[in-house]
Coordinates of all heavy atoms in Angstrom, one line a residue:
Chain K
G1612 N 86.0 94.4 111.8 CA 86.6 95.0 110.7 C 85.7 96.1 110.0 O 86.2 97.2 109.7
L1613 N 84.5 95.7 109.8 CA 83.6 96.6 109.1 C 83.3 97.8 109.9 O 83.4 99.0 109.4 CB 82.3 95.8 108.8 CG 81.4 96.4 107.7 CD1 82.1 96.6 106.5 CD2 80.2 95.5 107.5
F1614 N 83.0 97.7 111.3 CA 82.7 98.8 112.1 C 84.0 99.7 112.2 O 83.9 100.9 112.2 CB 82.2 98.3 113.5 CG 80.7 98.3 113.5 CD1 80.1 97.1 113.6 CD2 80.0 99.4 113.4 CE1 78.7 97.0 113.7 CE2 78.6 99.4 113.5 CZ 78.0 98.1 113.6
A1615 N 85.1 99.0 112.3 CA 86.4 99.8 112.4 C 86.5 100.6 111.1 O 86.8 101.8 111.1 CB 87.6 98.9 112.6
A1616 N 86.2 100.0 109.9 CA 86.4 100.8 108.6 C 85.3 101.9 108.6 O 85.7 103.0 108.2 CB 86.1 99.8 107.5
I1617 N 84.1 101.7 109.1 CA 83.1 102.7 109.0 C 83.6 103.9 109.9 O 83.5 105.0 109.5 CB 81.7 102.1 109.5 CG1 81.2 101.2 108.5 CG2 80.8 103.3 109.8 CD1 80.0 100.5 108.9
Y1618 N 84.0 103.6 111.1 CA 84.4 104.6 112.0 C 85.6 105.4 111.4 O 85.5 106.7 111.4 CB 84.8 104.0 113.3 CG 85.1 105.1 114.4 CD1 84.1 105.7 115.0 CD2 86.4 105.7 114.5 CE1 84.3 106.8 115.9 CE2 86.6 106.7 115.4 CZ 85.6 107.2 116.1 OH 85.8 108.3 116.9
L1619 N 86.5 104.6 110.9 CA 87.7 105.3 110.3 C 87.4 106.2 109.1 O 87.9 107.3 109.0 CB 88.8 104.3 109.9 CG 89.6 103.7 111.0 CD1 90.5 102.7 110.5 CD2 90.3 104.7 111.9
S1620 N 86.5 105.8 108.3 CA 86.2 106.5 107.1 C 85.1 107.6 107.2 O 85.1 108.6 106.6 CB 85.9 105.6 105.9 OG 84.8 104.8 106.2
E1621 N 84.2 107.4 108.2 CA 83.1 108.3 108.3 C 83.2 109.2 109.6 O 82.6 110.3 109.5 CB 81.7 107.5 108.4 CG 81.5 106.6 107.2 CD 81.2 107.4 105.9 OE1 80.5 108.5 106.0 OE2 81.5 106.9 104.9
Y1622 N 83.8 108.8 110.6 CA 83.8 109.6 111.8 C 85.1 110.1 112.2 O 85.2 111.2 112.7 CB 83.2 108.7 113.0 CG 81.7 108.4 112.9 CD1 81.3 107.2 112.4 CD2 80.8 109.4 113.3 CE1 79.9 106.9 112.3 CE2 79.5 109.1 113.3 CZ 79.0 107.9 112.7 OH 77.7 107.7 112.7
A1623 N 86.2 109.3 112.1 CA 87.4 109.7 112.7 C 88.0 110.9 112.1 O 87.8 111.2 110.9 CB 88.4 108.5 112.5
T1624 N 88.6 111.7 112.9 CA 89.3 112.9 112.4 C 90.6 112.4 111.8 O 91.1 111.3 112.0 CB 89.7 113.8 113.6 OG1 90.5 113.1 114.5 CG2 88.5 114.3 114.3
G1625 N 91.2 113.3 111.0 CA 92.4 113.0 110.3 C 93.5 112.4 111.3 O 94.2 111.4 110.9
A1626 N 93.6 113.0 112.4 CA 94.7 112.6 113.4 C 94.4 111.1 113.8 O 95.3 110.3 113.8 CB 94.8 113.5 114.5
T1627 N 93.2 110.9 114.3 CA 92.8 109.6 114.8 C 93.1 108.5 113.7 O 93.6 107.5 113.9 CB 91.4 109.5 115.1 OG1 91.0 110.7 115.8 CG2 91.0 108.3 116.0
R1628 N 92.6 108.9 112.5 CA 92.8 108.0 111.4 C 94.3 107.7 111.1 O 94.6 106.5 110.9 CB 92.2 108.6 110.1 CG 91.9 107.7 109.0 CD 91.3 108.5 107.9 NE 91.6 107.9 106.6 CZ 90.9 106.9 106.1 NH1 89.9 106.4 106.7 NH2 91.3 106.4 104.9
S1629 N 95.1 108.7 111.1 CA 96.5 108.5 110.8 C 97.2 107.7 111.9 O 98.3 107.1 111.6 CB 97.2 109.8 110.5 OG 97.3 110.5 111.7
I1630 N 96.7 107.6 113.0 CA 97.3 106.8 114.1 C 96.6 105.3 114.1 O 97.3 104.3 114.0 CB 97.1 107.4 115.5 CG1 97.9 108.7 115.5 CG2 97.6 106.4 116.6 CD1 97.6 109.5 116.7
A1631 N 95.3 105.3 114.1 CA 94.7 104.0 114.3 C 94.8 103.1 113.1 O 95.0 101.9 113.3 CB 93.2 104.2 114.6
K1632 N 94.8 103.6 111.9 CA 94.8 102.8 110.7 C 96.1 102.1 110.6 O 96.1 100.8 110.5 CB 94.6 103.7 109.5 CG 94.1 102.9 108.2 CD 93.6 103.8 107.2 CE 93.8 103.3 105.8 NZ 93.0 102.1 105.5
P1633 N 97.3 102.7 110.7 CA 98.6 101.9 110.6 C 98.7 101.0 111.8 O 99.2 99.8 111.6 CB 99.7 103.0 110.7 CG 99.0 104.3 110.7 CD 97.6 104.1 110.7
L1634 N 98.2 101.4 113.0 CA 98.3 100.4 114.1 C 97.5 99.2 113.8 O 98.0 98.1 114.1 CB 97.8 101.1 115.4 CG 98.8 102.0 116.1 CD1 98.1 102.6 117.4 CD2 100.0 101.2 116.5
L1635 N 96.3 99.3 113.3 CA 95.5 98.2 113.0 C 96.2 97.3 111.9 O 96.2 96.1 112.0 CB 94.1 98.6 112.5 CG 93.0 98.8 113.5 CD1 91.7 99.0 112.7 CD2 92.9 97.5 114.4
E1636 N 96.8 98.0 111.0 CA 97.5 97.2 109.9 C 98.7 96.5 110.3 O 99.1 95.5 109.6 CB 97.7 98.1 108.7 CG 96.5 98.3 107.9 CD 96.5 99.4 106.9 OE1 97.6 100.0 106.7 OE2 95.4 99.7 106.3
I1637 N 99.2 96.8 111.5 CA 100.4 96.0 112.0 C 99.9 94.6 112.2 O 100.6 93.6 111.9 CB 100.8 96.6 113.4 CG1 101.5 97.9 113.2 CG2 101.8 95.6 114.1 CD1 102.0 98.5 114.5
L1638 N 98.6 94.5 112.7 CA 98.0 93.1 112.8 C 98.2 92.3 111.6 O 98.3 91.1 111.6 CB 96.6 93.2 113.3 CG 96.3 93.5 114.7 CD1 94.8 93.7 114.9 CD2 96.9 92.5 115.7
A1639 N 98.1 92.9 110.4 CA 98.2 92.2 109.1 C 99.6 91.8 108.8 O 99.8 90.9 108.0 CB 97.6 93.0 108.0
G1640 N 100.6 92.5 109.4 CA 102.0 92.3 109.0 C 102.6 91.2 109.9 O 103.7 90.8 109.7
I1641 N 101.9 90.8 111.0 CA 102.5 89.8 111.9 C 102.3 88.4 111.2 O 101.3 88.1 110.7 CB 101.6 89.8 113.2 CG1 101.9 91.2 113.9 CG2 102.0 88.7 114.1 CD1 101.2 91.3 115.2
P1642 N 103.5 87.7 111.2 CA 103.5 86.4 110.5 C 102.5 85.4 111.2 O 102.2 85.5 112.4 CB 104.9 85.9 110.7 CG 105.7 87.0 111.2 CD 104.8 88.1 111.7
T1643 N 102.0 84.5 110.4 CA 100.9 83.6 110.9 C 101.5 82.7 112.0 O 100.7 82.3 112.9 CB 100.3 82.8 109.8 OG1 101.4 82.1 109.1 CG2 99.6 83.6 108.9
I1644 N 102.8 82.4 112.0 CA 103.3 81.6 113.0 C 103.1 82.2 114.4 O 102.9 81.5 115.4 CB 104.9 81.3 112.7 CG1 105.5 80.5 113.8 CG2 105.6 82.6 112.6 CD1 105.2 79.1 113.8
V1645 N 103.2 83.6 114.4 CA 103.0 84.2 115.7 C 101.5 84.0 116.2 O 101.3 83.8 117.3 CB 103.3 85.7 115.6 CG1 103.1 86.5 116.9 CG2 104.7 85.9 115.0

Side-chain angles (χ1 to χ4, degrees):
Chain K
L1613 198 54
F1614 268 110
I1617 289 170
Y1618 187 83
L1619 285 177
S1620 58
E1621 303 287 329
Y1622 289 98
T1624 59
T1627 319
R1628 193 178 153 85
S1629 66
I1630 296 172
K1632 203 170 148 68
L1634 276 179
L1635 271 185
E1636 277 166 8
I1637 290 180
L1638 283 176
I1641 293 178
T1643 52
I1644 175 80
V1645 181

